[in-house]
Amino acid sequence: MNSTIHDHAALAGKFNENEPRVNWHDETLWWVRKKRDRMAWSVNGWEQLREAASQIKRHALGNLHDYLAQFEQQAIQNGAVVHWAADAAEHNQIVLDILKRHHVKRMVKSKSMLTEECHLNPHLEANGIEVIDTDLGERIVQLAKEPPSHIVLPCIHKKKEEIGALFHEHLGTPAGNADPQFLTAAARQHLRKEFLEADAAITGVNFAVAETGEMVVCTNEGNADMGAHLAKVHIACMGIEKIIPQRQHLGVFLRLLARSATGQPITTYSSHFRQPREGQELHIVLVDNGRSRQLGREDFRNSLKCIRCGACMNTCPVYRRSGGHSYHTAVAGPIGSILAPNLDMKDYADLPFASTLCGSCSNVCPVKIDIHQQLYKWRQVIVKEGYATTGKKMSMQMMTTVLSSPKTFKTAGKMGRWVLRAFPGMVNNKMNPWYKQRNMPEAPKMSFAEWYAKNKNNEQQG
């Protein structure tokens, strides 16, 4: 990933240079989408579950201030230390101060998209603290010096042979060994030592229960448990939108999460953290970082319902064929494209346009976020605020002129069909983005309107 490029189309073009990888990436994610469908169809009342989850999150967001205060009170009573961070910089400084106070030089971290959003790892490393990501996929991309490309499957863009080469270089596994079972065992041995020697552990939070002050962390590897149970200091980092009102609501979300994410009936480990064990410190960092601003945007408030399952990525035809790194933000895909502009509208102005608006993302979202509609609304906001590129504004103005005049539209259609037949090279060239990765269709001899005008009398007589 070239972090200096902040343009989805350019980064997607780079990903598309390797066509076999693109096809494999596309097919793999669609396979996960099909697993999700089979699991959803096997649950009676799946749509009722989605609606219940959506309404619970809607209620929680509408009363967020009360539930956050309740959660803080209960967590403190449980023995946790609660911190509040207005933005990424404050979050990173709070975590650094805790680690410095305990003289931590090396620590373990389970998967946390919030810490990716805040760029915590580089901040800690710049201050002399080594961070070991313990989720297998996260560890792979960390060794490769890359960010995750997917919120659930962070190294989905890598093939087993590349992972074997990485492990040979960093873990000393035999060269050329790309057997997944062997590589997983090697990673387990490597990480076991890190768990045992770490003085501190950071975890994310999937759900935080206001009623009890507890946190639930969902993993398939148990790495969050290993880190949190063995370390003397456990730091849980969570966005303020992770709050749910009551413990009984967990049953709704846990039935939806894994099925939507990977097509499993439930996550392998759904771990509840309520209070520190004897001799341990438990710190909870509640982070805003633009969430209050998004909450105040009526058109985009629903995006905060997201439970980070990644289902929208697995189904999105653009994400599947452009790769997660093309989104140049921590949370990629359709959901990232409606979250990122809230953080920085200028830097992420390209992302809402990286969509066909097909609506598949909204159809699979377990909490019924209207993702494709928000993508469309963000486009309008970005153009209105002046963040659309000059080329995009000019092309949209040209299309407005053509589509608003039937005569102009008819003339342009005739000219286009003639050019395609007489001078195909004017269209079939590298300057035309539509020509990349696809074969242009043969130009029809007439438009549908012309065909209908010619044949409507025969249709009426027949």
Side-chain angles (χ1 to χ4, degrees):
M1 175 184 176
N2 188 344
S3 59
T4 62
I5 300 175
H6 280 198
D7 179 68
H8 178 270
L11 291 166
K14 191 175 180 66
F15 183 72
N16 274 263
E17 289 172 2
N18 188 336
E19 189 170 347
R21 183 188 297 274
V22 174
N23 293 337
W24 164 78
H25 187 264
D26 184 3
E27 292 164 5
T28 302
L29 286 163
W30 187 248
W31 173 73
V32 179
R33 157 68 204 268
K34 288 192 291 186
K35 286 179 63 184
R36 173 262 175 206
D37 289 349
R38 286 194 296 270
M39 273 294 167
W41 296 334
S42 70
V43 176
N44 290 328
W46 176 258
E47 291 304 317
Q48 287 83 353
L49 271 176
R50 290 181 68 213
E51 181 62 27
S54 180
Q55 291 301 325
I56 292 167
K57 291 293 270 185
R58 180 177 180 274
H59 171 76
L61 292 171
N63 299 275
L64 191 58
H65 55 300
D66 293 328
Y67 286 124
L68 285 170
Q70 183 184 10
F71 175 80
E72 178 186 38
Q73 181 182 14
Q74 293 299 322
I76 291 172
Q77 288 181 6
N78 294 339
V81 181
V82 179
H83 309 262
W84 295 85
D87 53 28
E90 191 171 358
H91 162 268
N92 292 347
Q93 191 58 48
I94 289 169
V95 174
L96 178 62
D97 289 344
I98 295 169
L99 297 176
K100 279 187 171 181
R101 193 158 61 246
H102 290 274
H103 309 289
V104 174
K105 292 295 182 183
R106 191 177 177 89
M107 53 154 294
V108 293
K109 180 168 74 69
S110 69
K111 187 190 297 176
S112 163
M113 294 315 299
L114 174 69
T115 61
E116 293 289 342
E117 173 190 319
C118 296
H119 305 291
L120 177 65
N121 283 20
H123 181 76
L124 295 181
E125 288 162 3
N127 284 275
I129 298 173
E130 185 176 2
V131 181
I132 306 297
D133 276 303
T134 60
D135 173 89
L136 179 55
E138 289 276 351
R139 186 58 175 153
I140 289 166
V141 294
Q142 185 180 39
L143 293 175
K145 295 181 170 55
E146 295 176 359
S149 67
H150 189 290
I151 55 180
V152 176
L153 312 165
C155 68
I156 190 63
H157 60 289
K158 288 200 170 294
K159 294 192 172 184
K160 60 184 180 181
E161 292 78 12
E162 295 170 301
I163 297 169
L166 269 175
F167 279 23
H168 171 65
E169 179 185 354
H170 295 280
L171 306 186
T173 58
N177 193 322
D179 177 65
Q181 188 170 352
F182 174 82
L183 296 176
T184 302
R188 183 180 183 183
Q189 291 299 317
H190 156 66
L191 291 171
R192 188 59 54 94
K193 177 176 178 291
E194 303 295 344
F195 285 126
L196 292 170
E197 295 180 356
D199 290 321
I202 290 179
T203 69
V205 175
N206 289 92
F207 306 103
V209 184
E211 178 186 40
T212 60
E214 70 188 290
M215 303 163 294
V216 177
V217 182
C218 302
T219 69
N220 276 330
E221 302 167 24
N223 55 308
D225 294 11
M226 289 285 288
H229 290 319
L230 292 172
K232 296 176 183 176
V233 180
H234 174 195
I235 306 172
C237 303
M238 58 170 278
I240 56 175
E241 82 283 9
K242 294 300 179 75
I243 289 284
I244 61 173
Q246 297 176 355
R247 200 183 212 199
Q248 66 177 354
H249 296 145
L250 283 170
V252 174
F253 292 101
L254 292 178
R255 293 184 73 192
L256 288 165
L257 178 59
R259 288 180 169 91
S260 298
T262 55
Q264 298 169 251
I266 195 166
T267 336
T268 307
Y269 299 92
S270 297
S271 305
H272 297 239
F273 296 97
R274 188 165 180 172
Q275 59 188 31
R277 69 173 191 278
E278 187 176 349
Q280 184 191 50
E281 286 186 16
L282 172 59
H283 295 263
I284 305 171
V285 188
L286 293 158
V287 184
D288 188 318
N289 201 37
R291 287 158 174 79
S292 293
R293 181 170 59 248
Q294 190 82 326
L295 189 65
R297 299 181 190 268
E298 187 175 352
D299 286 339
F300 306 111
R301 185 179 300 149
N302 276 348
S303 63
L304 296 176
K305 292 179 179 179
C306 178
I307 59 173
R308 300 296 192 271
C309 68
C312 61
M313 300 181 183
N314 302 337
T315 198
C316 177
V318 176
Y319 174 88
R320 296 199 319 264
R321 297 198 67 82
S322 62
H325 290 158
S326 64
Y327 291 81
H328 58 89
T329 183
V331 179
I335 185 63
S337 296
I338 60 175
L339 292 173
N342 174 63
L343 293 173
D344 192 321
M345 204 180 301
K346 181 180 179 181
D347 274 1
Y348 301 117
D350 57 314
L351 296 186
F353 295 91
S355 168
T356 64
L357 300 182
C358 67
S360 187
C361 49
S362 301
N363 288 341
V364 300
C365 177
V367 288
K368 301 181 76 170
I369 302 172
D370 52 336
I371 302 175
H372 72 293
Q373 293 175 350
Q374 291 194 34
L375 287 166
Y376 176 61
K377 289 173 182 175
W378 264 123
R379 294 182 185 188
Q380 296 172 306
V381 172
I382 286 165
V383 171
K384 184 178 178 180
E385 296 295 326
Y387 291 114
T389 61
T390 301
K392 191 177 291 296
K393 285 188 287 189
M394 288 177 62
S395 63
M396 290 299 104
Q397 186 58 53
M398 186 183 302
M399 289 302 298
T400 300
T401 302
V402 171
L403 295 174
S404 61
S405 168
K407 185 177 180 180
T408 305
F409 177 74
K410 186 177 179 180
T411 303
K414 282 186 176 180
M415 289 179 61
R417 291 191 297 277
W418 179 78
V419 168
L420 279 170
R421 289 194 300 269
F423 302 100
M426 292 185 66
V427 178
N428 298 341
N429 61 69
K430 293 182 179 179
M431 298 294 292
N432 177 13
W434 284 100
Y435 182 62
K436 297 178 182 178
Q437 304 296 320
R438 58 172 63 83
N439 296 318
M440 298 300 288
E442 183 180 346
K445 294 180 180 179
M446 63 180 73
S447 69
F448 172 77
E450 291 170 337
W451 177 90
Y452 181 75
K454 182 180 178 181
N455 290 278
K456 66 177 180 179
N457 290 333
N458 294 335
E459 290 290 326
Q460 289 170 355
Q461 291 172 6

